């Protein structure tokens, strides 16, 4: 009799448990340390945001290096390598999405948006730090050869008045955005204004950009001899000039510009600014895109070119007046009274011709007019009263 055959089954070798991945915890630890440094004011939040916007791919590189090391270690130990997992996938997606948003945000022109929305740097400082105030003072003698002053202030008001001596005196009131006093002191020192001489020109630079991305606003109160010419470049801030015998030139964005009591010519190149010019012995030339404009008591000629969003007021212009915009083109020999112009109406009183006026979609009313008149208007009424009758030609379309 044959003996029964016994089948032996070999028990499977027990699998070693997978090791937990350290990639996610390492990345979280790094992020936690970074945010802790922000809370402890060791780094400003703006600085942290800028670092993340530029270097966030390093987190993915670190993640990949850790996973590669873990895979090689699992191969040596003979255990299955652990995958990324649902939590890891979510974290990677969050890093990529937030990183791309931060990168695009860092490339965006926030300065232009801030200007268009009229947001002050103090509002941003309240979100990312505090505002610290500093006062400074500069004074030096003016060389005999110097005849002109050029002022450059990227952010802050500029006020120029006449001095009783032959010195340039600058009083500086500065506002600095920073996380703490130590940083504010450093930024304040970096953004110290300078006075230099180049030939017959004195250069005054506020250096508000010298502190990099940190917000610095410098208001300059300047006194110089009345005879000197003044040329001002100001990107954001009000400008005031009074008491000049020489020429005044202002390039300004997003501010209110006031020029008064000037014996020389006045030239303004403005962008989204308002202008007030009065008591000028020379000529006045204004161009750009402006809000409100007021020009009064000018002995010379007045020329205005550009786009005017709100209102234009002209009064007592001794010589020729030329105005040109996308909707209105007009010329007068002089204005003894006043002229008001806005988006819907044009009213002038005591004007002398020859008058050339072309406009549209306005109610035109000219009173006490003398000389020749040539007037064209579309979609608006016209009313003209003459003091002394000249050659009058009126072309009115779709209006009374």
């Amino acid at each position: 009799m044959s003996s029964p055959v016994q089948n032996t089954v070999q028990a499977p070798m027990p699998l070693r448990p997978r090791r937990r991945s350290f990639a996610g915890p390492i990345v979280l630890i790094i992020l936690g340390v970074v945010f802790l440094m922000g809370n402890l004011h060791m780094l400003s939040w703006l600085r942290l945001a800028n670092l993340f916007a530029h270097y966030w791919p390093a987190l993915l590189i670190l993640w990949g290096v850790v996973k590669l090391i873990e895979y090689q270690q699992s191969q040596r130990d003979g255990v299955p390598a652990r995958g990324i997992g649902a939590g890891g996938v979510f974290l990677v997606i969050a890093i990529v999405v937030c990183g791309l948003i931060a990168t695009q945000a860092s490339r965006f022109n926030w300065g232009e948006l801030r200007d268009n929305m009229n947001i002050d740097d103090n509002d941003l400082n309240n979100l990312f730090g505090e505002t610290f105030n500093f006062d400074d003072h500069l004074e030096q003698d003016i060389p005999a050869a110097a005849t002109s002053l050029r002022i450059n202030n990227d952010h802050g008001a500029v006020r120029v008045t006449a001095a009783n001596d032959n010195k340039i005196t600058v009083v500086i009131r500065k506002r600095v955005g920073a996380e703490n006093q130590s940083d504010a002191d450093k930024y304040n020192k970096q953004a110290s204004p300078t006075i230099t001489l180049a030939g017959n020109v004195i250069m005054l630079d506020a250096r508000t950009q010298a502190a990099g991305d940190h917000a610095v606003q410098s208001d300059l109160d300047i006194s110089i001899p009345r005879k000197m010419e003044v040329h001002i470049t100001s990107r954001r801030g009000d400008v005031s000039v009074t008491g000049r015998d020489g020429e005044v030139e202002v390039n300004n964005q997003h501010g209110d510009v006031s020029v008064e009591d000037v014996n020389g010519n006045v030239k303004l190149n403005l962008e989204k600014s308002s202008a007030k010019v009065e008591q000028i012995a020379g000529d006045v030339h204004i161009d750009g895109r402006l809000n409100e404009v007021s020009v009064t008591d000018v002995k010379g000629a007045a020329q205005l070119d550009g786009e005017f969003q709100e209102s234009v007021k002209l009064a007592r212009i001794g010589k020729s007046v030329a105005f040109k915009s996308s909707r209105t083109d007009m010329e007068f020999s002089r204005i003894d009274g006043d002229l008001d112009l806005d988006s819907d109406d044009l009213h002038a009183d005591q004007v002398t011709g020859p008058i050339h006026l072309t406009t549209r979609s306005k109610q035109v009313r000219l009173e006490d007019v003398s000389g020749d008149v040539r007037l064209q208007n579309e979609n608006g009424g016209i009313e003209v009263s003459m003091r002394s009758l000249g050659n009058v030609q009126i072309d009115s379309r779709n209006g009374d």
Side-chain angles (χ1 to χ4, degrees):
M1 178 183 286
S2 61
S3 60
V5 178
Q6 295 182 353
N7 295 326
T8 60
V9 179
Q10 186 176 3
M13 294 292 293
L15 294 176
R16 297 182 182 180
R18 295 178 178 178
R19 291 188 176 91
R20 297 185 62 85
S21 176
F22 293 98
I26 289 176
V27 172
L28 290 177
I29 290 172
I30 293 175
L31 292 176
V33 170
V34 169
F35 281 104
L36 178 62
M37 294 175 68
N39 286 336
L40 296 178
H41 302 294
M42 299 176 66
L43 286 175
S44 67
W45 289 110
L46 286 177
R47 180 61 176 167
L48 289 175
N50 187 59
L51 290 174
F52 178 72
H54 288 85
Y55 300 109
W56 64 266
L59 295 175
L60 300 181
I61 295 174
L62 176 62
W63 188 300
V65 171
V66 173
K67 296 298 293 183
L68 181 61
I69 294 174
E70 290 177 349
Y71 175 80
Q72 293 176 344
Q73 185 65 38
S74 298
Q75 291 293 101
R76 287 194 296 267
D77 295 343
V79 297
R82 186 173 180 83
I84 296 179
V89 171
F90 176 79
L91 185 57
V92 169
I93 293 175
I95 293 175
V96 172
V97 172
C98 293
L100 292 175
I101 293 175
T103 300
Q104 294 302 317
S106 66
R107 296 172 179 173
F108 186 77
N109 190 348
W110 293 102
E112 182 178 354
L113 176 64
R114 176 182 56 194
D115 294 340
N116 292 333
M117 298 183 64
N118 197 26
I119 300 176
D120 191 79
D121 280 338
N122 292 332
D123 299 329
L124 298 178
N125 292 338
N126 290 334
L127 295 176
F128 300 104
E130 301 179 18
T131 299
F132 298 86
N133 297 320
F134 297 89
D135 294 329
D136 203 352
H137 180 271
L138 296 175
E139 181 177 314
Q140 71 178 48
D141 294 330
I142 296 178
T147 60
S148 177
L149 172 65
R150 294 188 178 273
I151 303 167
N152 181 25
N153 189 5
D154 188 74
H155 188 192
V158 177
R159 179 173 176 263
V160 180
T161 57
N164 296 324
D165 51 21
N166 195 43
K167 293 182 178 181
I168 176 172
T169 304
V170 184
V171 177
I172 304 129
R173 293 178 296 276
K174 193 181 303 182
R175 290 178 289 280
V176 178
E179 287 287 332
N180 51 60
Q181 184 68 55
S182 177
D183 288 344
D185 292 339
K186 179 176 66 175
Y187 306 149
N188 172 58
K189 186 176 181 181
Q190 292 173 347
S192 297
T194 59
I195 297 177
T196 57
L197 179 65
N200 64 341
V201 178
I202 296 177
M203 309 287 294
L204 171 59
D205 191 350
R207 301 182 71 245
T208 57
Q209 297 293 317
D213 296 332
H214 309 288
V216 177
Q217 178 177 340
S218 293
D219 294 338
L220 307 179
D221 196 341
I222 307 160
S223 63
I224 55 174
R226 185 182 175 101
K227 62 182 179 181
M228 294 190 69
E229 297 180 356
V230 174
H231 303 265
I232 301 173
T233 300
S234 172
R235 191 173 70 89
R236 295 177 60 234
D238 298 339
V239 175
S240 173
V241 180
T242 58
R244 293 289 98 209
D245 289 337
E247 178 181 314
V248 174
E249 180 179 357
V250 178
N251 295 276
N252 177 265
Q253 301 177 19
H254 307 282
D256 295 333
V257 177
S258 174
V259 181
E260 182 179 355
D261 186 19
V262 175
N263 291 326
N265 296 330
V266 174
K267 183 177 181 180
L268 307 181
N269 188 335
L270 309 180
E271 184 74 15
K272 297 181 181 179
S273 302
S274 297
K276 180 181 179 182
V277 181
E278 55 187 4
Q279 299 180 23
I280 309 299
D283 298 336
V284 175
H285 185 190
I286 302 175
D287 61 15
R289 291 192 299 169
L290 298 93
N291 297 323
E292 295 184 2
V293 179
S294 174
V295 180
T296 61
D297 296 312
V298 176
K299 294 182 180 180
Q303 181 178 349
L304 291 82
D305 299 293
E307 295 302 320
F308 304 86
Q309 303 298 325
E310 297 181 17
S311 66
V312 176
K313 298 182 182 296
L314 307 177
R316 298 176 295 281
I317 310 298
K319 295 184 179 180
S320 63
V321 177
F323 178 95
K324 188 171 184 179
S325 69
S326 59
R327 291 178 55 186
T328 302
D329 190 347
M330 60 183 176
E331 294 180 4
F332 302 90
S333 290
R334 72 175 188 269
I335 300 177
D336 297 322
D338 53 51
L339 180 148
D340 291 330
L341 171 67
D342 57 30
S343 59
D344 300 320
D345 298 283
L346 191 160
H347 170 247
D349 177 60
Q350 298 183 38
V351 292
T352 301
I355 297 171
H356 299 274
L357 172 58
T358 302
T359 188
R360 56 187 172 87
S361 303
K362 290 190 189 314
Q363 297 295 322
V364 178
R365 185 159 55 98
L366 306 180
E367 299 182 78
D368 205 6
V369 178
S370 62
D372 297 341
V373 177
R374 184 174 180 179
L375 195 158
Q376 293 180 343
N377 188 22
E378 296 183 7
N379 304 318
I382 297 175
E383 179 181 344
V384 180
S385 75
M386 304 293 298
R387 180 171 67 242
S388 60
L389 188 61
N391 183 9
V392 179
Q393 179 180 343
I394 297 177
D395 184 359
S396 176
R397 300 179 183 178
N398 302 324
D400 297 331

